[in-house]
Amino acid sequence: MSQIALPLEQNPKADHGRYLVTAANAEVHQHLQHWGDWSHHTMILTGPEASGKTTMAAAFEADSGGMCIDDASQYEDTEIFHLWNRANGEKQPLLLLSAKPVSEWGVELPDLQSRLAASFHLEIGAPDQAMIDGLFQKYFAMRGLTISADALAYLEKRMIRSYSMVQKLAKKMDALAIETKKPINLAIAKSALTFFDADGEKVKA
């Protein structure tokens, strides 16, 4: 369930070294720090693939002692119903994660529908430029590498702006750097981008 850690404004910063915070996820970050204010002690956090929901949830769980449910849409209605009731009764936070909005969970239990509707909802926004740059930098820093400024500038103007695309490009640039024994530079960035089509799908082996 591991994901690239998430990345205020143009200078991304790490929260205790666990994930990065930019305008794209700053609101989520703030509310995770103030879980005592959540409606019925439950928050539903949605966001696209690879947007860092699991990473943020792990940090929240360690800090709050609350419970996190990943892929909440895959659980039975009765399971979520009982967890919601327990969180509300014990006043302990419950964080429900999903890539899908609640409207797409297929909830059939009326009592659960009303409880989820009354809960606090937040969505991780699309990645801003500070987020994208921060994610690339974090990915390569974890491998003892750096990505050049001109490579970042090149990708900024041409890549699909999504969390999953950052992940795909970072892995491809990493592989190319190993194959060619070169640093993560402009040439590597250009080569990596040619492996993906306009929808971000792989077009070369």
Side-chain angles (χ1 to χ4, degrees), residues 103-126:
S103 61
E104 297 179 11
W105 288 14
V107 176
E108 297 180 355
L109 189 64
D111 285 345
L112 179 58
Q113 291 175 350
S114 62
R115 282 162 171 75
L116 294 178
S119 302
F120 184 47
H121 293 238
L122 271 182
E123 180 179 9
I124 296 174

Side-chain angles (χ1 to χ4, degrees), residues 122-136:
L122 271 182
E123 180 179 9
I124 296 174
D128 55 12
Q129 195 55 55
M131 171 79 81
I132 290 171
D133 289 353
L135 285 175
F136 278 130

Side-chain angles (χ1 to χ4, degrees), residues 104-203:
E104 297 179 11
W105 288 14
V107 176
E108 297 180 355
L109 189 64
D111 285 345
L112 179 58
Q113 291 175 350
S114 62
R115 282 162 171 75
L116 294 178
S119 302
F120 184 47
H121 293 238
L122 271 182
E123 180 179 9
I124 296 174
D128 55 12
Q129 195 55 55
M131 171 79 81
I132 290 171
D133 289 353
L135 285 175
F136 278 130
Q137 291 163 358
K138 186 176 181 70
Y139 180 95
F140 291 117
M142 290 172 64
R143 288 154 180 76
L145 302 170
T146 59
I147 180 170
S148 67
D150 57 351
L152 282 175
Y154 179 85
L155 294 173
E156 284 176 10
K157 297 176 182 178
R158 296 167 177 84
M159 66 176 282
I160 295 169
R161 302 172 70 85
S162 73
Y163 298 100
S164 61
M165 195 61 200
V166 171
Q167 194 175 60
K168 291 175 183 178
L169 278 170
K171 289 180 178 179
K172 190 62 190 177
M173 286 188 286
D174 196 8
L176 288 171
I178 293 172
E179 291 172 11
T180 61
K181 297 182 174 59
K182 292 181 180 179
I184 313 297
N185 56 22
L186 178 59
I188 292 290
K190 287 181 176 180
S191 295
L193 201 58
T194 66
F195 279 79
F196 301 95
D197 65 16
D199 295 317
E201 298 300 320
K202 187 171 69 173
V203 294

Side-chain angles (χ1 to χ4, degrees), residues 48-120:
E49 177 188 353
S51 59
K53 297 183 297 295
T54 301
T55 304
M56 299 188 84
F60 156 78
E61 197 168 25
D63 291 342
S64 70
M67 178 179 289
C68 299
I69 303 298
D70 208 351
D71 295 326
S73 65
Q74 301 302 309
Y75 282 69
E76 296 290 336
D77 287 6
T78 52
E79 292 180 277
I80 300 297
F81 178 77
H82 290 307
L83 288 171
W84 191 100
N85 284 342
R86 189 173 78 178
N88 195 52
E90 297 179 357
K91 296 179 171 49
Q92 290 296 316
L94 171 65
L95 180 60
L96 302 175
L97 308 176
S98 180
K100 302 177 181 179
V102 175
S103 61
E104 297 179 11
W105 288 14
V107 176
E108 297 180 355
L109 189 64
D111 285 345
L112 179 58
Q113 291 175 350
S114 62
R115 282 162 171 75
L116 294 178
S119 302
F120 184 47

